[in-house]
Amino acid sequence: MRPVNLRHLEHFCAVVETGSTVGAAQKLNLSQPAISRSISLLQAEVGFTLFERWSGGLSPTADGQMLYQEARALFDQSLKLSKVIGRISRSEYGQLRIAAFPALAATCMPGIIAAYIEDKPTLKVSLHGSGWRQIITGLETGRLDLAIMLRPLENAMVHCEPLCSYPAVCAIPKGHDLSRKDTVTLDDLSGQNVVHLDPDDGSRDHLDELLTSRKVETQASVVASLSTSICQFVAAGAGIAVLDGFVARAFDHAVEIRPFEIRPFEEALNYECWIAWPKVPERSSATTAFADHLIKVLPEQLAGDV
């Protein structure tokens, strides 16, 4: 049997819902003869009687009623599909799986994502605070759609491009000698107890390279995997630390009075931030739209004053 003509099926549903060919014609802005002809053709296609005539109009037969229920479900599904297509075209549909280095995932990213999806209720987003190796694996396997990283990545399976740079600051315990200075230098770190991030954190590499190039030797007192833990260690007097400026700002929001001092570096100490996604023939429209949004808003948030 050939597929049923959907136009005839639409006219059939209109007759069921209005109770007459005249009512269906008015509903669909067609002529009554056109509706009657369509019903006759559909009846010939399906091979059974669709309507019984009553004094009040047309009523579907038992077979006609079953056909109507299936046809109505088909058109309802088609309407739902049309809405989904519209949301996809507006980058408001689907799922976004995003990863960022832990400090960023715990501070700026939740607010950026929340504001972005406020008017996109059908876009589902997951955010992962991940280390370097976990991010690479997620991008290579396609389990991540987008990632923000602290190192450039040369990988045949991943596209990576620079996003922005942002400043580092020095976190100093209250009463420490360095707290009396308006700015600090890398040389000031010489011989100091320094609370370091875990080596898997990309920012640690950059700092280590700078200290080595300047022949600055520090005392590694504590290593922690989270920037918020670093802040607490500094507040407790365990040592000084080199922090992302945006982490220090976020810490201020979590406490009434910052329990340590923050000083900028005399010579700008900046970290590089990179955006990456799997190399696929074409990214989803949702991934592309969010990446464009992130490129616009993230640099300003990362570069703000402490």
Side-chain angles (χ1 to χ4, degrees), residues 171-173 176 192-195 221-222 230 233-241:
I172 307 167
H176 192 283
Q192 299 287 348
N193 286 333
V194 177
V195 184
S221 57
V222 179
I230 298 289
F233 275 121
V234 173
I240 64 177

Side-chain angles (χ1 to χ4, degrees), residues 170-193:
C170 189
I172 307 167
K174 296 279 189 180
H176 192 283
D177 289 344
L178 290 182
S179 67
R180 290 191 284 271
K181 301 186 65 174
D182 293 330
T183 61
V184 297
T185 67
L186 284 175
D187 292 334
D188 289 330
L189 305 186
S190 181
Q192 299 287 348
N193 286 333

Side-chain angles (χ1 to χ4, degrees), residues 135-142 144 146-147 149 153 157-158 276-278:
I135 288 178
I136 294 176
T137 300
L139 291 170
E140 289 178 336
T141 58
L144 291 174
L146 192 72
M149 313 166 69
L153 177 62
M157 303 173 65
V158 178
W277 52 82

Side-chain angles (χ1 to χ4, degrees), residues 31-52:
S31 68
Q32 187 273 337
I35 296 294
S36 296
R37 184 166 55 254
S38 186
I39 297 302
S40 297
L41 292 171
L42 178 62
Q43 192 161 267
E45 286 182 273
V46 300
F48 51 80
T49 303
L50 296 174
F51 291 101
E52 296 176 324

Side-chain angles (χ1 to χ4, degrees), residues 261-299:
E261 302 289 342
I262 287 292
R263 296 292 182 270
F265 280 93
E266 190 172 303
E267 302 173 56
L269 174 57
N270 290 328
Y271 293 128
E272 299 298 321
C273 194
W274 301 74
I275 187 169
W277 52 82
K279 280 186 179 177
V280 292
E282 187 173 350
R283 291 181 294 172
S284 71
S285 57
T287 300
T288 300
F290 183 74
D292 292 343
H293 176 74
L294 200 61
I295 289 169
K296 291 178 182 178
V297 303
L298 187 59

Side-chain angles (χ1 to χ4, degrees), residues 188-226:
D188 289 330
L189 305 186
S190 181
Q192 299 287 348
N193 286 333
V194 177
V195 184
H196 282 295
L197 281 166
D198 188 274
D200 192 42
D201 189 282
S203 62
R204 170 75 181 271
D205 287 350
H206 182 54
L207 177 61
D208 288 346
E209 290 171 2
L210 288 173
L211 293 176
T212 299
S213 68
R214 297 282 286 271
K215 298 181 179 180
V216 173
E217 295 185 6
T218 64
Q219 303 296 321
S221 57
V222 179
V223 174
S225 60
L226 297 176

